[in-house]
Amino acid sequence: MERILSSIISVSLKVKLYNTMKQKLYKTYTYKIPTFYVTMKIMVAPKMSDMLSDKIFELDDNKDNYAKTAAALCLTYKDDIYLCLPNEGKFATEFMFHEIIHAKNFIYSKRGVKLDVDNDENEAYLVQYIYSKCEDAKKKFAKCQIPITSE
């Protein structure tokens, strides 16, 4: 009986050790968007494929295409906005802005805000805020110790 218990504990410890050794290759930074009561999660990774193990992609039929074609990505999951920003060669500020516009439009749609071309100050502030949080997430990611992998 003692030998069986010892084997079970050994296997359990090996599984726990394996699970702690599997390091995520991306980081998620969460920001609350004031006034609109929306949570934005910015995921940053070396490559888009590094983020595809996250729960938001579990039921997504396009998951395999994202690694091949997406330079950046904006998704919604439940009531949260996810901005996926790989910092590989294809990543550039213009792709980030493209996804920021999708995020802004999701927020406006979710909160029933109508665009007003004669009064776009609110829209400009929201885009500026989202951009500043993307830049903040990129800077934080640059400081973390995630190993850069190559295929």
Side-chain angles (χ1 to χ4, degrees):
M1 182 64 143
E2 192 173 312
R3 180 177 270 176
I4 293 171
L5 187 56
S6 176
S7 294
I8 291 171
I9 292 171
S10 175
V11 169
S12 176
L13 288 174
K14 287 178 184 174
V15 169
K16 285 181 183 176
L17 180 61
Y18 174 76
N19 286 337
T20 58
M21 289 172 43
K22 291 190 315 184
Q23 183 180 13
K24 290 191 314 186
L25 297 176
Y26 64 94
K27 294 280 187 183
T28 303
Y29 305 96
T30 302
Y31 303 93
K32 299 281 186 189
I33 299 180
T35 308
F36 294 100
Y37 307 102
V38 173
T39 299
M40 178 175 60
K41 298 184 179 189
I42 301 173
M43 299 168 65
V44 186
K47 300 179 297 204
M48 181 62 78
S49 60
D50 294 332
M51 292 178 265
L52 298 179
S53 63
D54 193 84
K55 68 180 178 201
I56 65 167
F57 295 105
E58 285 176 5
L59 301 175
D60 196 326
D61 293 335
N62 295 316
K63 177 179 167 176
D64 294 334
N65 293 329
Y66 295 147
K68 299 173 192 166
T69 61
L73 192 61
C74 178
L75 297 169
T76 57
Y77 179 76
K78 298 184 180 177
D79 285 334
D80 296 338
I81 299 169
Y82 283 79
L83 285 168
C84 304
L85 306 175
N87 63 359
E88 64 185 335
K90 285 196 279 184
F91 178 76
T93 302
E94 61 264 20
F95 294 118
M96 184 173 64
F97 272 108
H98 176 102
E99 301 308 329
I100 288 170
I101 297 303
H102 290 308
K104 183 255 321 170
N105 288 337
F106 171 79
I107 293 167
Y108 273 23
S109 174
K110 187 83 174 153
R111 296 294 172 234
V113 177
K114 303 279 187 232
L115 291 176
D116 182 355
V117 295
D118 295 322
N119 184 8
D120 57 3
E121 201 64 24
N122 181 278
E123 181 181 15
Y125 277 122
L126 180 58
V127 169
Q128 177 183 349
Y129 181 83
I130 296 171
Y131 171 78
S132 72
K133 298 308 172 194
C134 289
E135 286 297 318
D136 182 62
K138 287 170 34 184
K139 287 176 187 169
K140 287 179 181 176
F141 184 78
K143 292 178 183 177
C144 75
Q145 298 297 316
I146 290 183
I148 304 297
T149 58
S150 59
E151 294 181 316

